[in-house]
Amino acid sequence: MGRVLVWLIAAISFLTVSLRPAASEPRHAIAMQGEPALPADYQHFNYVNPDAPKGGSITYCVVGSFDNLNPFILKSLRTTARGMMDTIFGNLVFEPLMQRNFDEAFSLYGLLADSADMDPERKSIEFHLNPYAKWSDGQPVTPEDVLFTYDVFTDKGRPPYSDRMAKIAKLEKTGDHSVRFTFNDKADREFPLIIALTPIIPKHAFDKETFDRTTLKPVIGSGPYTVDKVQPGQRIVFKRNPDYWGKDVPAKRGFDNYDQITIEYFLNANAKTEAFKKGICAIDDETDPVKRERDMDFPAFRKGDVVAETFDTGIPPVVTGFLFNTRLQKFSNPVVRRALGMLYDFEWANKNLFGGKYNRTTSYWQNSELSALGHPADDREKALLAPYPGRVPADVMDGSWRPPVTDGSGQDRKELKAAFDLLKGAGYSVKDGTMLDPEGKPFGFEIMTSSQDEERLAAIYQRTLEKIGINVTIRSLDGDQIQSRKQRFDFEVLIGSSGFNNSLSPGIEQIGRWGSSAAKAEGSFNLAGVSDPAVDAAIDAMLRARSKEDYVAAVRVLDRLLISGNYLVPMQHNDQQWIAYWNYLEHPQKTPIFGYQLPTWWRKAN
């Protein structure tokens, strides 16, 4: 009997262990969809030169000003010095737990955390900190720093950092070098990757009570550079840390090649361009092809001291256009917005302003499999849209929709009539040359601009709209005024671009751009005021998708809804990146799908 009892206990124990879910293993990398491309023993990203020489200096130039070195607080939305945590120049001072590989849609590799243990259902993730990770003052990066980061961001930080604890059920230290995040039902499948990309700050170097105040005192981070000199509003100088802990981490090999990085500030784009010609600035990234052709006619370029180069990318273009504030009654009707969208004469602008070198922007994920254009809605998409009948016109559903094409003369009456007929059907009329709304009041609006280039585009639109009696005024404001008005949603129409950069892996940022929860949240990127349950459902489906097919279907539905909503009058884009640089710079041979990466460039040895 005793032997039988022992056997039964052993059998039950075996079955209990066997029926437990298989434990996940710590991984060197995690991916949003599928598996990371690089193996655990990878040595570096494939778009860097791992043997790039170190040394020398570089000066980048930007337009604007700054009076703060803390990028994580509300007061930092416009006035934080560039480079502290920067998508263009690199995260010079602050670093996240994991580093993005810009040659994959959305994969992250070890940095402050050398590995991560994410459960298959993505209900939790445990990060194992690199035991060699240190702050610039030599103190080690600890789990307590991670816990402090989320504590202070929640109480004193700015969105989106302040919102992240709302999706975290538990945050705990699990070892001397490990910390685990357990998520609640508000979290989606992308959220563990968002956590991995959140910058970490040192507990010993920040005071929680004063965290939300601006500061010009050099702050401590874990990044490859430290703040060396600060001239508020004019210049910030970063010095490479010779003791940077991560210089041999595979995700950082080939990066951070200058001993000194200076970022100079200029009042306007023209002053910045002239500084480039004089050799003050190392690069020029002018986006206007006509302007850059004119600007590139100077001695150093003709001698070959300055090089101009284009780079192909694999990501959707930046979406820019005239954005309507749909919180206002005058823009609440999508039919009215559709009619207004028909009246931007791209063909005339492309011929007369851009030398015919631009393409019309038609989709929020153009030139990718995520775009609705050229792809008829499949059964997955139709099922997602079934609860919202009539939201998407037939030509958008079958993928054949394109914006109107004019004859380029600036006088194409065909499109003017088509737009007028739409407005007339919505109750609008013209009296004595003035467009009247359904209540008989003159219909017009103000376009807010922040540069001469924007004024020029607004004037083109103004000229066409006035031909059917719509009175448009143009108001030019400086950068700080624009930002303040955007934060308060105090505008009628603006030329929107910031916040509309897209990728091959759209995710939680789409809530902030288009979600109903962000429509009234001051400071959000939902400038258009989109508040549509169909859009919310598409974003939710995208975030919860488990297969690539479901994910692509959800993004295409979102694209169809945004196109159909006519929240923005898309303008134009260039499919290539253009950059001019002084020939003392070199860059890797391979360009990743996200385009050139300045942090991987280096200075030629003298």
Side-chain angles (χ1 to χ4, degrees):
M1 182 68 179
R3 289 182 179 179
V4 173
L5 182 60
V6 170
W7 182 87
L8 284 172
I9 292 172
I12 291 169
S13 298
F14 173 79
L15 286 171
T16 301
V17 171
S18 299
L19 292 173
R20 287 175 186 164
S24 55
E25 293 292 331
R27 300 283 302 276
H28 71 292
I30 55 178
M32 182 61 200
Q33 302 286 340
E35 293 293 323
L38 303 179
D41 61 352
Y42 83 103
Q43 297 300 302
H44 55 81
F45 292 149
N46 63 358
Y47 55 88
V48 306
N49 173 8
D51 301 317
K54 306 288 185 181
S57 62
I58 189 171
T59 297
Y60 298 120
C61 296
V62 297
V63 174
S65 183
F66 75 94
D67 62 4
N68 177 44
L69 300 183
N70 183 349
F72 307 113
I73 59 176
L74 274 172
K75 296 176 183 177
S76 74
L77 284 175
R78 184 169 183 87
T79 58
T80 297
R82 297 285 302 273
M84 305 299 293
M85 191 183 65
D86 201 292
T87 57
I88 304 296
F89 306 136
N91 295 334
L92 305 183
V93 174
F94 296 106
E95 294 180 312
L97 292 167
M98 303 188 82
Q99 173 84 3
R100 190 164 192 164
N101 177 7
F102 286 103
D103 208 29
E104 299 180 57
F106 195 3
S107 292
L108 307 178
Y109 292 76
L111 187 56
L112 286 177
D114 56 18
S115 63
D117 184 357
M118 182 169 64
D119 86 90
E121 297 301 312
R122 301 195 180 188
K123 297 297 184 182
S124 69
I125 187 168
E126 185 173 32
F127 294 99
H128 305 283
L129 299 179
N130 190 314
Y132 299 104
K134 289 182 172 57
W135 303 106
S136 60
D137 62 359
Q139 293 205 35
V141 178
T142 67
E144 286 77 13
D145 292 317
V146 180
L147 271 59
F148 172 77
T149 296
Y150 280 82
D151 178 40
V152 75
F153 281 1
T154 302
D155 288 351
K156 299 278 189 173
R158 68 170 174 88
Y161 307 113
S162 59
D163 302 331
R164 291 191 175 155
M165 278 303 294
K167 298 181 180 181
I168 298 171
K170 183 189 290 187
L171 171 54
E172 58 188 324
K173 175 181 177 179
T174 52
D176 291 342
H177 300 288
S178 58
V179 59
R180 178 186 293 126
F181 292 78
T182 303
F183 307 119
N184 59 33
D185 291 339
K186 296 179 182 178
D188 51 70
R189 291 181 59 78
E190 185 193 41
F191 195 58
L193 281 77
I194 300 300
I195 294 298
L197 278 177
T198 301
I200 304 301
I201 63 174
K203 180 179 180 179
H204 70 276
F206 283 92
D207 181 356
K208 182 178 178 180
E209 293 304 313
T210 61
F211 185 79
D212 56 354
R213 302 176 191 172
T214 59
T215 181
L216 287 169
K217 179 182 177 182
V219 293
I220 292 173
S222 64
Y225 290 85
T226 58
V227 177
D228 187 36
K229 298 174 184 176
V230 178
Q231 289 180 262
Q234 299 178 44
R235 177 183 303 108
I236 183 167
V237 180
F238 300 91
K239 180 173 63 176
R240 186 150 60 88
N241 181 2
D243 300 318
Y244 172 51
W245 73 274
K247 58 182 177 291
D248 293 322
V249 171
K252 294 296 285 183
R253 286 193 186 124
F255 290 79
D256 316 315
N257 299 316
Y258 308 108
D259 287 339
Q260 178 178 291
I261 295 175
T262 301
I263 300 179
E264 294 273 358
Y265 284 75
F266 293 85
L267 293 177
N268 55 61
N270 289 335
K272 181 169 78 79
T273 299
E274 292 305 312
F276 170 71
K277 293 179 181 180
K278 295 175 182 176
I280 296 172
C281 316
I283 66 168
D284 179 31
D285 57 357
E286 174 60 55
T287 57
D288 184 331
V290 175
K291 186 174 184 296
R292 67 193 183 210
E293 281 189 10
R294 182 185 69 235
D295 290 340
M296 285 300 103
D297 186 19
F298 63 103
F301 180 71
R302 292 193 292 268
K303 288 171 56 180
D305 294 335
V306 169
V307 179
E309 191 171 354
T310 57
F311 295 84
D312 293 319
T313 74
I315 58 173
V318 174
V319 180
T320 61
F322 298 97
L323 183 141
F324 303 115
N325 186 350
T326 65
R327 301 170 186 85
L328 305 177
Q329 179 61 33
K330 66 175 65 181
F331 298 127
S332 62
N333 186 342
V335 174
V336 173
R337 300 195 300 267
R338 182 181 179 187
L340 295 174
M342 296 169 66
L343 295 173
Y344 175 64
D345 195 339
F346 162 74
E347 284 70 29
W348 187 93
N350 195 32
K351 181 173 68 174
N352 291 279
L353 298 183
F354 306 120
K357 297 183 178 180
Y358 271 34
N359 296 311
R360 183 72 190 267
T361 305
T362 54
S363 163
Y364 290 83
W365 286 276
Q366 197 156 333
N367 303 332
S368 80
E369 66 176 340
L370 302 176
S371 174
L373 300 187
H375 299 109
D378 62 16
D379 290 341
R380 288 182 175 86
E381 294 181 61
K382 292 175 181 176
L384 286 173
L385 287 167
Y388 312 99
R391 279 294 209 287
V392 178
D395 56 350
V396 181
M397 281 295 286
D398 66 23
S400 65
W401 175 85
R402 296 296 185 276
V405 177
T406 71
D407 60 14
S409 68
Q411 304 289 334
D412 194 333
R413 298 183 62 84
K414 174 176 86 285
E415 300 308 331
L416 288 172
K417 184 179 185 304
F420 176 76
D421 288 344
L422 273 181
L423 290 169
K424 186 178 179 180
Y428 288 70
S429 61
V430 174
K431 183 178 180 180
D432 299 329
T434 299
M435 180 70 68
L436 303 179
D437 67 17
E439 297 179 356
K441 298 177 181 178
F443 178 67
F445 52 85
E446 176 186 272
I447 301 176
M448 194 167 65
T449 64
S450 61
S451 68
Q452 290 182 341
D453 289 340
E454 288 190 356
E455 285 182 48
R456 185 172 54 170
L457 291 166
I460 295 171
Y461 196 33
Q462 176 190 49
R463 183 183 63 193
T464 306
L465 290 164
E466 287 178 342
K467 290 177 181 177
I468 60 170
I470 299 174
N471 180 42
V472 173
T473 58
I474 301 172
R475 179 185 292 270
S476 297
L477 300 173
D478 65 30
D480 291 337
Q481 290 173 314
I482 288 277
Q483 182 60 31
S484 177
R485 295 273 292 268
K486 282 182 178 180
Q487 283 187 257
R488 305 193 313 270
F489 308 126
D490 181 18
F491 65 91
E492 293 188 327
V493 176
L494 56 79
I495 296 180
S497 60
S498 176
F500 295 91
N501 298 13
N502 275 319
S503 75
L504 296 173
S505 183
I508 197 171
E509 78 285 347
Q510 301 301 314
I511 295 176
R513 296 178 187 179
W514 310 111
S516 298
S517 61
K520 295 182 180 179
E522 188 170 305
S524 83
F525 286 115
N526 189 348
L527 296 172
V530 179
S531 184
D532 181 353
V535 169
D536 295 337
I539 295 173
D540 184 66
M542 176 188 71
L543 294 176
R544 297 187 181 280
R546 290 174 175 268
S547 70
K548 182 178 180 181
E549 292 78 11
D550 287 342
Y551 179 77
V552 171
V555 179
R556 286 183 184 172
V557 166
L558 179 57
D559 196 27
R560 295 185 205 278
L561 288 166
L562 295 178
I563 292 170
S564 304
N566 299 285
Y567 304 106
L568 184 80
V569 182
M571 290 193 290
Q572 57 275 326
H573 68 272
N574 193 323
D575 288 327
Q576 292 183 312
Q577 289 180 319
W578 179 94
I579 190 171
Y581 56 93
W582 285 82
N583 66 2
Y584 54 76
L585 295 179
E586 288 189 304
H587 61 77
Q589 291 184 352
K590 179 176 173 53
T591 302
I593 59 175
F594 279 78
Y596 66 79
Q597 302 295 311
L598 291 178
T600 68
W601 291 35
W602 64 92
R603 187 160 184 145
K604 295 178 183 177
N606 293 328

